[in-house]
Amino acid sequence: MNNFKATTLSIQHLLAMYAGAILVPLIIGGKLGFDAKQMTYLVAIDIMMCGVATLLQVYSGKFIGIGLPVVLGCTFTAVSPIIAIGTNPEQGITDIYGSIIASGLIVVVIAGFFGKLVKFFPPVVTGSVVSIIGISLLPVALNNMAGGQGAPDFASGSNVALAFITLVIILVVYRFSTGFVRAISILIGLVAGTVLGMFMGKVDFTPVSDAGVLHMVQPFYFGMPTFDATAILTMTLVAMVSLVESSGVYFALSDICNKKLDSKDLARGYRSEGLASVIGGIFNAFPYTTFSQNVGLTRMSGVKNRKVIYITGGLLVALGFLPKIAALTTIIPTPVLGAAMLAMFGMVITQGMGMLVPVMNESAENAMIAAIAVGLGVGVSVVPDIFASLPPGVAILTSNGIVCGSVTAIVLNILFNMIGPKHKNDPMQG
């Protein structure tokens, strides 16, 4: 693959994850009352550290790196706990970064043990998790297609029309082209949709004009970290949850790339995420996890070359120093981004289904495991307050549909397939 094609494909990956990546610092900074200068730093360092985390993960070394075409960004699971720590009168922003560094170190230490749990992730579990990830993200795509939740013109005719025109462009390119052009169908759709959005008055260049030309990063920008035991425990739980989410993405990508993962592969992947969080904490960014939209993009494009992701990581690092260029990626109209997300998240769902069908045909038990895990995972995503009365320590496992469904799949697989008598020859299957 030549450099031009690889760079074009990497830009497509960057655009796919960018909105989700900057959303976390925007939400947290807003809740903690950061001023414009602090927000600029937070977004810039976040983008840069996303690149560092991605490079650590796509690399395949002796101790770190899953070695798959995976892109990392800030985990949404950490948003509420970080805000809670930052707004607690007895804690504060330095405790946030102390807890992120400490939890990252804990993940690095326990990665080897966590990696040995690979036997608890057979296809019935990973297929269920991947399906839940894709389905749970669909509301994000549809809200964006309508203009973004809370937008004054939410679900307006112009927003919906722009979204579906973008989707049609993506589908037409994907259907009637081959090779490289087909592989960048999402990028073509994003560019075409943005150009159309300009004529519709939906593109605002203010973020580009307001952004600086060069931005330097520095460690401990918000002060030296402090280490509060409760905050560390909270962020360690968040880290464990992120590892469960990442496991599903690892297995989805391994299926796409025809690479069987073992416990050592998983340990290197987990170790990379922990190390990324440590570095992120030092530079005042946040914990990282794998981004599912890029899995869907890999499946759509059919391009599995890690060179593309290396370039994506490099571009993200560069954007951390060049805020004006980074701001260019924020002008994509929300409905356009939503259309691209719909296609990518849909591909994640079909990837999960492809993993599930063979094992569900093997036994009725596997079908039941998938049914309950997917049903509960998606259900919690739709009705997130169903377990609101549970203690906070338990609620962190049940308030997130992906994690709830993942834990359910693991437990049911142990119950049906790992202990007690097996019922492979179910009389009901005839």
Side-chain angles (χ1 to χ4, degrees):
M1 180 182 294
N2 64 45
N3 290 335
F4 172 76
K5 288 184 177 180
T7 302
T8 305
L9 288 162
S10 70
I11 291 171
Q12 183 172 243
H13 271 284
L14 188 151
L15 293 176
M17 61 80 69
Y18 197 85
I22 66 172
L23 200 56
V24 170
L26 288 175
I27 293 171
I28 292 173
K31 290 290 186 180
L32 297 183
F34 286 0
D35 60 30
K37 183 180 178 182
Q38 291 173 321
M39 288 292 280
T40 299
Y41 177 84
L42 199 63
V43 172
I45 195 64
D46 166 61
I47 290 303
M48 180 181 170
M49 288 299 128
C50 285
V52 171
T54 297
L55 292 172
L56 287 173
Q57 195 62 283
V58 74
Y59 167 75
S60 182
K62 189 174 181 181
F63 297 104
I64 62 169
I66 193 75
L68 291 168
V70 59
V71 177
L72 278 78
C74 292
T75 174
F76 284 87
T77 309
V79 171
S80 294
I82 286 175
I83 291 171
I85 295 168
T87 55
N88 188 327
E90 298 180 4
Q91 296 171 333
I93 190 165
T94 55
D95 289 311
I96 291 174
Y97 293 111
S99 64
I100 289 172
I101 293 170
S103 63
L105 288 171
I106 290 169
V107 169
V108 171
V109 171
I110 68 168
F113 166 75
F114 220 82
K116 286 182 169 54
L117 303 180
V118 64
K119 65 181 179 181
F120 295 104
F121 292 91
V124 67
V125 172
T126 55
S128 298
V129 173
V130 173
S131 298
I132 294 165
I133 289 172
I135 298 170
S136 299
L137 290 171
L138 281 179
V140 178
L142 291 172
N143 274 319
N144 281 346
M145 289 176 73
Q149 205 162 23
D153 60 346
F154 185 82
S156 66
S158 60
N159 282 341
V160 174
L162 180 57
F164 276 95
I165 290 171
T166 302
L167 186 59
V168 168
I169 292 170
I170 292 170
L171 292 172
V172 168
V173 173
Y174 195 79
R175 170 64 180 85
F176 294 105
S177 62
T178 56
F180 176 66
V181 175
R182 183 176 186 176
I184 61 168
S185 57
I186 293 288
L187 179 58
I188 292 171
L190 288 171
V191 172
T194 301
V195 171
L196 180 59
M198 289 172 59
F199 289 105
M200 298 173 68
K202 293 184 179 294
V203 175
D204 181 10
F205 286 94
T206 304
V208 180
S209 59
D210 289 349
V213 177
L214 189 65
H215 181 97
M216 294 308 295
V217 298
Q218 65 184 77
F220 309 122
Y221 179 85
F222 292 108
M224 292 298 292
T226 50
F227 300 92
D228 177 87
T230 304
I232 291 171
L233 177 60
T234 301
M235 291 311 297
T236 301
L237 283 172
V238 169
M240 299 298 102
V241 168
S242 293
L243 292 186
V244 174
E245 285 188 73
S246 292
S247 298
V249 173
Y250 294 160
F251 283 108
L253 279 170
S254 70
D255 189 61
I256 293 170
C257 298
N258 298 314
K259 176 186 175 182
K260 187 172 175 61
L261 296 179
D262 58 24
S263 60
K264 292 181 180 178
D265 293 318
L266 290 177
R268 290 197 302 270
Y270 300 145
R271 211 172 282 125
S272 290
E273 290 199 22
L275 182 58
S277 288
V278 172
I279 297 171
I282 291 171
F283 284 92
N284 294 156
F286 303 111
Y288 299 93
T289 191
T290 49
F291 266 27
S292 306
Q293 51 264 54
N294 294 87
V295 178
L297 187 53
T298 299
R299 183 165 174 79
M300 274 193 74
S301 68
V303 177
K304 310 163 191 176
N305 193 326
R306 285 187 293 159
K307 177 182 179 181
V308 172
I309 308 302
Y310 274 120
I311 296 174
T312 302
L315 289 174
L316 286 167
V317 172
L319 289 179
F321 293 103
L322 303 168
K324 193 172 283 292
I325 296 176
L328 271 174
T329 60
T330 67
I331 68 172
I332 301 171
T334 304
V336 173
L337 201 57
M341 285 180 171
L342 179 67
M344 292 184 294
F345 295 158
M347 292 302 287
V348 174
I349 296 170
T350 59
Q351 178 68 24
M353 289 177 177
M355 298 165 76
L356 280 175
V357 169
V359 293
M360 288 195 298
N361 288 334
E362 286 178 9
S363 72
E365 287 83 3
N366 284 340
M368 180 59 78
I369 292 168
I372 301 302
V374 174
L376 192 57
V378 175
V380 169
S381 297
V382 175
V383 188
D385 296 329
I386 187 171
F387 297 119
S389 61
L390 294 177
V394 180
I396 197 170
L397 298 175
T398 57
S399 59
N400 180 303
I402 296 171
V403 176
C404 184
S406 301
V407 172
T408 300
I410 292 168
V411 171
L412 291 181
N413 178 63
I414 294 171
L415 178 64
F416 280 103
N417 291 330
M418 300 180 73
I419 60 174
K422 306 292 186 296
H423 301 283
K424 294 295 181 184
N425 298 316
D426 195 313
M428 294 297 291
Q429 297 202 43

